[in-house]
Amino acid sequence: MNKALFAVAALLLVSVSISVAGDGHGEDHDRARQALEAGEVLPLRTIIERVERDYPGQIVEVELERDDGRWQYEFKLLQRGGSLLKLKVDARDGSVLGVKGRSDGGHAERSRRGRADD
């Protein structure tokens, strides 16, 4: 079973890598870089370190979005057992705005502050 889960996770990572590399969203990249340079967002590496520390699992997708004037990182994590966890993180200060899905403990989590909508 673990081999099958690993294969699925590897496939997801490859598909995410391909979609990011070939998506043609140069404007999105430029907007994100400008937001970083203006101090509007923390570096992605900083946010990833916090997410990995607090939420075990394999990050399979990251998006930077602007929602209601606020920059947010959206993470999708594949957790042990195959559950998918979606996190919304304030890109300015790194605080978790919402959690959707199942935690490693097996209980459903919802928004902590704001919303964790799709």
Side-chain angles (χ1 to χ4, degrees), residues 24-99:
H25 289 267
E27 291 177 21
D28 290 345
H29 176 75
D30 291 340
R31 284 185 333 147
R33 186 174 35 80
Q34 290 169 356
L36 178 63
E37 290 171 355
E40 296 176 4
V41 300
L42 290 172
L44 179 58
R45 174 60 18 214
T46 302
I47 302 292
I48 287 174
E49 289 170 358
R50 292 178 186 182
V51 167
E52 289 177 335
R53 179 189 67 220
D54 297 336
Y55 296 90
Q58 179 66 48
I59 297 171
V60 294
E61 185 177 343
V62 179
E63 294 179 12
L64 178 63
E65 311 171 326
R66 194 160 177 93
D67 188 19
D68 293 331
R70 172 192 282 179
W71 285 105
Q72 298 178 9
Y73 286 108
E74 182 180 290
F75 288 87
K76 290 183 183 172
L77 290 98
L78 183 62
Q79 295 194 303
R80 190 178 23 179
S83 61
L84 190 66
L85 189 68
K86 184 186 286 186
L87 301 173
K88 289 229 178 192
V89 178
D90 187 302
R92 179 178 281 273
D93 64 13
S95 62
V96 175
L97 301 171
V99 181

Coordinates of all heavy atoms in Angstrom, one line a residue, residues 24-99:
G24 N 2.5 29.3 -18.8 CA 2.5 30.6 -19.5 C 2.0 31.7 -18.7 O 1.5 32.7 -19.2
H25 N 2.1 31.7 -17.3 CA 1.6 32.8 -16.5 C 2.7 33.7 -16.1 O 2.9 33.9 -14.9 CB 0.9 32.2 -15.3 CG -0.4 31.5 -15.6 ND1 -1.6 32.2 -15.5 CD2 -0.7 30.3 -16.0 CE1 -2.6 31.4 -15.9 NE2 -2.1 30.2 -16.2
G26 N 3.4 34.2 -17.1 CA 4.5 35.1 -16.8 C 4.0 36.4 -16.0 O 4.8 36.9 -15.1
E27 N 2.8 36.8 -16.3 CA 2.3 38.0 -15.6 C 2.1 37.7 -14.1 O 2.4 38.5 -13.2 CB 1.0 38.4 -16.2 CG 1.1 39.0 -17.5 CD -0.3 39.4 -18.1 OE1 -1.2 39.5 -17.3 OE2 -0.4 39.5 -19.3
D28 N 1.7 36.5 -13.8 CA 1.5 36.1 -12.4 C 2.8 36.1 -11.6 O 2.9 36.5 -10.5 CB 0.8 34.7 -12.3 CG -0.6 34.7 -12.7 OD1 -1.2 35.8 -12.8 OD2 -1.1 33.6 -12.9
H29 N 3.8 35.6 -12.3 CA 5.2 35.5 -11.7 C 5.7 36.9 -11.5 O 6.2 37.2 -10.4 CB 6.1 34.8 -12.7 CG 7.6 34.8 -12.2 ND1 8.0 34.0 -11.1 CD2 8.6 35.5 -12.6 CE1 9.2 34.2 -10.9 NE2 9.7 35.1 -11.8
D30 N 5.5 37.8 -12.4 CA 5.9 39.2 -12.3 C 5.2 39.9 -11.1 O 5.8 40.6 -10.3 CB 5.7 40.0 -13.6 CG 6.6 39.6 -14.7 OD1 7.7 39.0 -14.4 OD2 6.3 39.8 -15.9
R31 N 3.9 39.7 -11.0 CA 3.1 40.3 -9.9 C 3.6 39.8 -8.6 O 3.7 40.5 -7.6 CB 1.6 39.9 -10.0 CG 0.9 40.7 -11.1 CD -0.6 40.5 -11.1 NE -1.0 39.1 -10.6 CZ -2.1 38.9 -9.9 NH1 -2.9 39.8 -9.6 NH2 -2.3 37.7 -9.5
A32 N 3.9 38.5 -8.5 CA 4.4 37.9 -7.2 C 5.8 38.5 -6.9 O 6.0 38.8 -5.7 CB 4.5 36.4 -7.4
R33 N 6.6 38.6 -7.9 CA 8.0 39.2 -7.6 C 7.9 40.6 -7.2 O 8.5 41.1 -6.2 CB 8.8 39.1 -8.9 CG 10.3 39.5 -8.7 CD 11.2 39.3 -9.9 NE 10.6 39.4 -11.2 CZ 10.3 40.6 -11.8 NH1 10.6 41.7 -11.2 NH2 9.8 40.7 -13.0
Q34 N 7.0 41.4 -7.8 CA 6.8 42.8 -7.4 C 6.2 42.9 -6.0 O 6.7 43.8 -5.2 CB 5.8 43.5 -8.4 CG 6.4 43.7 -9.7 CD 5.4 44.2 -10.8 OE1 4.2 44.2 -10.5 NE2 5.9 44.4 -12.0
A35 N 5.3 42.0 -5.6 CA 4.8 42.0 -4.3 C 5.9 41.7 -3.2 O 5.9 42.3 -2.2 CB 3.6 41.0 -4.1
L36 N 6.8 40.8 -3.6 CA 7.9 40.4 -2.7 C 8.8 41.6 -2.5 O 9.2 42.0 -1.4 CB 8.6 39.2 -3.2 CG 9.8 38.7 -2.4 CD1 9.4 38.3 -1.0 CD2 10.6 37.6 -3.1
E37 N 9.2 42.2 -3.7 CA 10.1 43.3 -3.6 C 9.5 44.5 -2.9 O 10.2 45.3 -2.2 CB 10.5 43.8 -5.1 CG 11.4 42.7 -5.7 CD 11.6 43.0 -7.2 OE1 11.0 43.9 -7.8 OE2 12.4 42.2 -7.8
A38 N 8.2 44.7 -2.9 CA 7.5 45.8 -2.2 C 7.3 45.5 -0.7 O 6.8 46.3 0.0 CB 6.2 46.1 -2.9
G39 N 7.6 44.3 -0.3 CA 7.4 43.9 1.1 C 6.0 43.5 1.4 O 5.6 43.5 2.6
E40 N 5.2 43.3 0.4 CA 3.8 42.9 0.6 C 3.6 41.4 1.0 O 2.6 41.1 1.5 CB 3.0 43.2 -0.6 CG 2.9 44.7 -1.0 CD 2.2 45.0 -2.3 OE1 1.6 44.0 -2.9 OE2 2.1 46.1 -2.7
V41 N 4.6 40.6 0.6 CA 4.5 39.2 0.9 C 5.9 38.7 1.5 O 6.9 39.3 1.2 CB 4.2 38.3 -0.3 CG1 2.8 38.7 -0.9 CG2 5.2 38.4 -1.4
L42 N 5.8 37.7 2.3 CA 7.1 37.0 2.7 C 7.5 36.1 1.6 O 6.8 35.6 0.8 CB 6.8 36.2 4.0 CG 6.5 36.9 5.3 CD1 6.0 36.0 6.4 CD2 7.7 37.7 5.7
P43 N 8.8 35.8 1.6 CA 9.3 34.8 0.6 C 8.7 33.5 0.8 O 8.4 33.0 1.9 CB 10.8 34.7 1.0 CG 11.2 35.9 1.7 CD 9.9 36.3 2.5
L44 N 8.4 32.8 -0.3 CA 7.8 31.5 -0.3 C 8.5 30.5 0.6 O 7.9 29.7 1.3 CB 7.6 31.0 -1.7 CG 6.9 29.6 -1.9 CD1 5.6 29.6 -1.3 CD2 6.9 29.2 -3.4
R45 N 9.8 30.5 0.5 CA 10.7 29.6 1.3 C 10.3 29.8 2.8 O 10.2 28.8 3.5 CB 12.1 29.9 1.0 CG 13.1 29.1 1.9 CD 13.2 27.6 1.9 NE 12.6 26.8 0.9 CZ 12.0 25.6 1.2 NH1 11.9 25.1 2.4 NH2 11.5 24.9 0.2
T46 N 10.2 31.0 3.3 CA 9.8 31.2 4.7 C 8.5 30.6 5.0 O 8.3 30.0 6.1 CB 9.8 32.8 4.9 OG1 11.1 33.3 4.6 CG2 9.4 33.1 6.4
I47 N 7.5 30.8 4.2 CA 6.2 30.3 4.4 C 6.2 28.7 4.3 O 5.6 28.1 5.2 CB 5.2 30.8 3.4 CG1 5.1 32.3 3.4 CG2 3.8 30.2 3.6 CD1 4.5 32.9 4.7
I48 N 6.9 28.2 3.4 CA 7.0 26.7 3.3 C 7.6 26.1 4.5 O 7.1 25.1 5.0 CB 7.8 26.3 2.0 CG1 7.0 26.5 0.8 CG2 8.3 24.8 2.1 CD1 7.7 26.3 -0.5
E49 N 8.7 26.7 5.1 CA 9.3 26.2 6.3 C 8.3 26.2 7.4 O 8.2 25.2 8.2 CB 10.5 27.0 6.7 CG 11.7 26.8 5.7 CD 12.8 27.8 5.9 OE1 12.7 28.8 6.8 OE2 13.8 27.7 5.2
R50 N 7.4 27.2 7.6 CA 6.4 27.2 8.6 C 5.4 26.1 8.4 O 4.9 25.5 9.3 CB 5.8 28.6 8.7 CG 6.7 29.6 9.2 CD 6.0 31.0 9.2 NE 7.0 32.0 9.5 CZ 6.7 33.3 9.6 NH1 5.4 33.7 9.4 NH2 7.6 34.2 9.9
V51 N 4.9 26.0 7.2 CA 3.9 25.0 6.8 C 4.4 23.6 7.1 O 3.7 22.8 7.8 CB 3.4 25.2 5.4 CG1 2.6 24.0 4.9 CG2 2.6 26.4 5.2
E52 N 5.6 23.3 6.7 CA 6.2 22.0 6.9 C 6.4 21.7 8.3 O 6.2 20.5 8.8 CB 7.5 21.9 6.1 CG 7.4 21.8 4.6 CD 8.7 21.7 3.8 OE1 9.7 22.2 4.4 OE2 8.6 21.2 2.7
R53 N 6.7 22.7 9.1 CA 6.9 22.5 10.6 C 5.6 22.1 11.3 O 5.5 21.3 12.1 CB 7.5 23.7 11.2 CG 7.7 23.6 12.7 CD 8.1 25.0 13.3 NE 7.0 25.9 13.2 CZ 7.1 27.2 12.9 NH1 8.3 27.7 12.6 NH2 6.0 27.9 12.8
D54 N 4.5 22.8 10.9 CA 3.2 22.7 11.6 C 2.3 21.7 11.0 O 1.3 21.2 11.6 CB 2.5 24.0 11.7 CG 3.4 25.0 12.5 OD1 4.2 24.6 13.3 OD2 3.2 26.3 12.2
Y55 N 2.5 21.3 9.7 CA 1.5 20.4 9.0 C 2.3 19.4 8.2 O 2.8 19.7 7.1 CB 0.6 21.2 8.0 CG -0.3 22.2 8.7 CD1 0.2 23.5 9.0 CD2 -1.5 21.8 9.2 CE1 -0.7 24.4 9.7 CE2 -2.3 22.7 9.9 CZ -1.9 24.0 10.1 OH -2.7 24.8 10.8
P56 N 2.5 18.2 8.8 CA 3.3 17.2 8.1 C 2.6 16.7 6.8 O 1.4 16.7 6.8 CB 3.4 16.0 9.1 CG 2.4 16.3 10.1 CD 2.1 17.8 10.1
G57 N 3.4 16.4 5.8 CA 2.9 16.0 4.6 C 3.7 16.5 3.4 O 4.7 17.3 3.6
Q58 N 3.4 16.1 2.2 CA 4.1 16.5 1.0 C 3.3 17.6 0.3 O 2.2 17.4 0.0 CB 4.2 15.3 0.1 CG 4.9 15.6 -1.2 CD 6.4 16.0 -1.0 OE1 7.1 15.3 -0.3 NE2 6.8 17.1 -1.6
I59 N 3.9 18.8 0.2 CA 3.3 19.9 -0.6 C 3.2 19.5 -2.0 O 4.2 19.2 -2.7 CB 4.1 21.2 -0.4 CG1 4.1 21.6 1.1 CG2 3.5 22.3 -1.2 CD1 5.0 22.8 1.4
V60 N 2.0 19.5 -2.6 CA 1.8 19.1 -4.0 C 1.4 20.3 -4.9 O 1.5 20.2 -6.1 CB 0.8 18.0 -4.1 CG1 1.3 16.7 -3.5 CG2 -0.6 18.3 -3.6
E61 N 1.0 21.4 -4.2 CA 0.6 22.6 -5.0 C 0.7 23.8 -4.1 O 0.3 23.8 -3.0 CB -0.8 22.4 -5.6 CG -1.2 23.5 -6.5 CD -2.6 23.3 -7.1 OE1 -3.1 22.2 -7.1 OE2 -3.2 24.3 -7.6
V62 N 1.1 24.9 -4.7 CA 1.2 26.2 -4.1 C 0.7 27.3 -5.0 O 1.1 27.3 -6.2 CB 2.6 26.6 -3.6 CG1 2.6 27.9 -2.9 CG2 3.2 25.6 -2.7
E63 N -0.2 28.1 -4.6 CA -0.7 29.2 -5.4 C -0.6 30.5 -4.6 O -0.8 30.5 -3.4 CB -2.1 29.0 -5.8 CG -2.3 27.9 -6.8 CD -3.8 27.7 -7.2 OE1 -4.6 28.6 -6.9 OE2 -4.1 26.7 -7.7
L64 N -0.3 31.6 -5.2 CA -0.3 32.9 -4.6 C -1.4 33.7 -5.2 O -1.5 33.8 -6.5 CB 1.0 33.7 -4.8 CG 1.1 35.1 -4.2 CD1 1.0 35.1 -2.7 CD2 2.4 35.7 -4.6
E65 N -2.4 34.1 -4.4 CA -3.6 34.8 -4.9 C -3.8 36.1 -4.1 O -3.3 36.2 -3.0 CB -4.8 33.9 -4.7 CG -4.7 32.5 -5.1 CD -5.8 31.6 -4.7 OE1 -6.4 31.8 -3.6 OE2 -6.2 30.7 -5.5
R66 N -4.5 37.0 -4.8 CA -5.0 38.2 -4.1 C -6.5 38.1 -3.9 O -7.2 38.0 -4.8 CB -4.6 39.4 -4.9 CG -4.7 40.7 -4.1 CD -3.8 41.7 -4.8 NE -3.9 43.0 -4.1 CZ -3.1 43.4 -3.2 NH1 -2.1 42.7 -2.8 NH2 -3.3 44.6 -2.6
D67 N -6.9 38.0 -2.6 CA -8.3 37.9 -2.3 C -8.7 39.0 -1.4 O -8.2 39.1 -0.3 CB -8.5 36.5 -1.6 CG -10.0 36.1 -1.4 OD1 -10.8 36.8 -2.1 OD2 -10.2 35.3 -0.6
D68 N -9.7 39.8 -1.8 CA -10.2 41.0 -1.0 C -9.0 41.9 -0.6 O -8.9 42.3 0.5 CB -10.9 40.5 0.2 CG -12.2 39.8 -0.1 OD1 -12.8 40.2 -1.2 OD2 -12.7 38.9 0.6
G69 N -8.1 42.1 -1.5 CA -7.0 43.0 -1.3 C -5.8 42.4 -0.4 O -4.9 43.0 -0.1
R70 N -6.0 41.1 -0.1 CA -5.0 40.4 0.8 C -4.3 39.3 0.0 O -4.9 38.5 -0.6 CB -5.7 39.8 2.0 CG -4.8 38.9 2.8 CD -5.6 38.1 3.8 NE -5.9 39.0 4.9 CZ -6.7 38.6 5.9 NH1 -7.1 37.3 6.0 NH2 -7.0 39.4 6.9
W71 N -2.9 39.4 0.0 CA -2.2 38.3 -0.7 C -2.3 37.0 0.2 O -2.1 37.1 1.4 CB -0.7 38.7 -0.8 CG -0.5 39.6 -1.9 CD1 -0.2 41.0 -1.8 CD2 -0.5 39.4 -3.3 NE1 0.0 41.5 -3.1 CE2 -0.2 40.6 -4.0 CE3 -0.7 38.2 -4.1 CZ2 -0.1 40.7 -5.4 CZ3 -0.6 38.3 -5.5 CH2 -0.3 39.5 -6.1
Q72 N -2.5 35.9 -0.4 CA -2.6 34.6 0.3 C -1.9 33.5 -0.5 O -2.0 33.5 -1.7 CB -4.1 34.2 0.5 CG -4.9 35.1 1.3 CD -6.4 34.7 1.3 OE1 -6.7 33.6 0.9 NE2 -7.2 35.5 1.9
Y73 N -1.2 32.7 0.2 CA -0.7 31.5 -0.3 C -1.7 30.4 -0.1 O -2.2 30.3 1.0 CB 0.6 31.1 0.3 CG 1.8 31.9 -0.1 CD1 2.4 32.8 0.8 CD2 2.4 31.8 -1.4 CE1 3.5 33.5 0.4 CE2 3.5 32.5 -1.7 CZ 4.1 33.4 -0.8 OH 5.2 34.1 -1.2
E74 N -2.0 29.6 -1.1 CA -2.8 28.4 -0.9 C -2.0 27.2 -1.1 O -1.3 27.0 -2.1 CB -4.0 28.4 -1.9 CG -4.9 27.2 -1.7 CD -6.1 27.2 -2.6 OE1 -6.9 28.1 -2.5 OE2 -6.1 26.4 -3.5
F75 N -1.9 26.3 -0.1 CA -1.2 25.1 -0.2 C -2.1 23.9 -0.2 O -3.1 23.9 0.5 CB -0.3 24.9 1.1 CG 0.9 25.9 1.2 CD1 0.7 27.1 1.7 CD2 2.1 25.5 0.7 CE1 1.8 28.0 1.8 CE2 3.2 26.3 0.8 CZ 3.0 27.6 1.3
K76 N -1.7 22.9 -1.0 CA -2.3 21.6 -0.9 C -1.3 20.6 -0.5 O -0.2 20.5 -1.1 CB -2.9 21.2 -2.3 CG -4.1 22.0 -2.6 CD -4.8 21.6 -3.9 CE -5.9 22.6 -4.2 NZ -6.5 22.3 -5.5
L77 N -1.6 19.8 0.6 CA -0.6 18.9 1.1 C -1.2 17.5 1.1 O -2.4 17.3 1.4 CB -0.3 19.2 2.6 CG 0.5 20.4 2.9 CD1 -0.4 21.5 3.3 CD2 1.5 20.1 4.0
L78 N -0.4 16.5 0.6 CA -0.8 15.1 0.6 C -0.2 14.6 1.9 O 1.0 14.6 2.2 CB -0.2 14.4 -0.6 CG -0.6 12.9 -0.7 CD1 -2.1 12.8 -0.9 CD2 0.1 12.3 -1.9
Q79 N -1.1 14.1 2.8 CA -0.7 13.6 4.1 C -0.7 12.1 4.1 O -1.2 11.4 3.2 CB -1.7 14.1 5.2 CG -1.6 15.6 5.3 CD -2.2 16.1 6.6 OE1 -3.4 15.8 6.8 NE2 -1.5 16.8 7.4
R80 N 0.0 11.6 5.1 CA 0.1 10.1 5.3 C -1.3 9.6 5.3 O -2.3 10.1 5.8 CB 0.7 9.9 6.7 CG 1.1 8.5 7.0 CD 1.7 8.4 8.3 NE 1.3 9.5 9.2 CZ 1.7 9.7 10.4 NH1 2.5 8.9 11.0 NH2 1.3 10.8 11.1
G81 N -1.5 8.5 4.6 CA -2.8 7.8 4.5 C -3.6 8.3 3.3 O -4.6 7.9 3.0
G82 N -3.0 9.3 2.6 CA -3.6 9.7 1.3 C -4.6 10.9 1.4 O -5.2 11.3 0.4
S83 N -4.8 11.5 2.6 CA -5.7 12.6 2.7 C -5.1 13.9 2.2 O -3.9 14.0 2.3 CB -6.2 12.8 4.2 OG -5.1 13.0 5.0
L84 N -5.9 14.7 1.7 CA -5.5 16.0 1.1 C -5.9 17.1 2.1 O -7.0 17.2 2.5 CB -6.1 16.2 -0.2 CG -5.5 17.4 -1.0 CD1 -4.1 17.1 -1.4 CD2 -6.4 17.6 -2.3
L85 N -5.0 18.0 2.4 CA -5.2 19.1 3.3 C -5.0 20.4 2.5 O -4.0 20.5 1.8 CB -4.2 19.0 4.5 CG -4.5 20.0 5.6 CD1 -5.8 19.7 6.4 CD2 -3.3 19.9 6.6
K86 N -5.9 21.4 2.6 CA -5.7 22.6 2.0 C -5.6 23.7 3.0 O -6.4 23.8 4.0 CB -7.0 23.0 1.1 CG -6.8 24.2 0.3 CD -8.1 24.6 -0.4 CE -8.3 23.7 -1.6 NZ -9.5 24.2 -2.4
L87 N -4.5 24.5 2.9 CA -4.2 25.6 3.8 C -4.3 26.9 3.1 O -3.8 27.0 2.0 CB -2.8 25.5 4.4 CG -2.5 24.3 5.2 CD1 -1.0 24.3 5.5 CD2 -3.3 24.2 6.4
K88 N -4.9 27.9 3.7 CA -4.8 29.3 3.3 C -3.9 30.1 4.3 O -4.2 30.0 5.5 CB -6.1 30.0 3.1 CG -6.9 29.4 2.0 CD -7.5 30.4 1.2 CE -8.3 29.8 0.0 NZ -8.6 30.7 -1.0
V89 N -2.9 30.7 3.8 CA -1.9 31.4 4.6 C -1.8 32.8 4.2 O -1.6 33.1 3.0 CB -0.5 30.7 4.5 CG1 0.5 31.4 5.4 CG2 -0.6 29.2 4.9
D90 N -1.8 33.7 5.2 CA -1.6 35.2 4.9 C -0.2 35.3 4.4 O 0.8 35.0 5.1 CB -1.9 36.0 6.1 CG -1.8 37.5 5.9 OD1 -0.8 38.0 5.4 OD2 -2.8 38.1 6.2
A91 N 0.0 35.8 3.2 CA 1.3 36.0 2.6 C 2.2 37.1 3.3 O 3.4 37.1 3.1 CB 1.2 36.2 1.1
R92 N 1.5 38.0 3.9 CA 2.3 39.1 4.6 C 2.9 38.7 5.9 O 4.1 39.0 6.1 CB 1.3 40.3 4.8 CG 2.0 41.4 5.5 CD 1.1 42.6 5.7 NE 0.9 43.4 4.5 CZ 1.7 44.4 4.1 NH1 2.8 44.7 4.9 NH2 1.5 45.1 3.0
D93 N 2.2 37.9 6.7 CA 2.7 37.6 8.0 C 2.9 36.1 8.3 O 3.4 35.7 9.3 CB 1.9 38.2 9.1 CG 0.5 37.7 9.2 OD1 0.1 36.7 8.6 OD2 -0.3 38.4 9.9
G94 N 2.4 35.2 7.4 CA 2.5 33.8 7.5 C 1.5 33.1 8.4 O 1.6 31.9 8.7
S95 N 0.5 33.9 8.9 CA -0.5 33.3 9.7 C -1.4 32.4 8.9 O -1.8 32.7 7.8 CB -1.3 34.3 10.5 OG -2.0 35.2 9.6
V96 N -1.9 31.3 9.5 CA -2.8 30.4 8.8 C -4.2 31.0 8.9 O -4.7 31.2 10.0 CB -2.7 29.0 9.4 CG1 -3.8 28.1 8.8 CG2 -1.3 28.4 9.2
L97 N -4.8 31.2 7.8 CA -6.1 31.8 7.7 C -7.2 30.7 7.8 O -8.3 31.0 8.3 CB -6.3 32.6 6.5 CG -5.3 33.8 6.3 CD1 -5.5 34.4 4.9 CD2 -5.6 34.8 7.4
G98 N -6.9 29.6 7.2 CA -7.9 28.5 7.2 C -7.3 27.2 6.8 O -6.3 27.1 6.2
V99 N -7.9 26.1 7.3 CA -7.5 24.8 7.0 C -8.7 24.0 6.6 O -9.8 24.1 7.2 CB -6.9 24.1 8.3 CG1 -6.4 22.7 8.0 CG2 -5.8 24.9 8.8

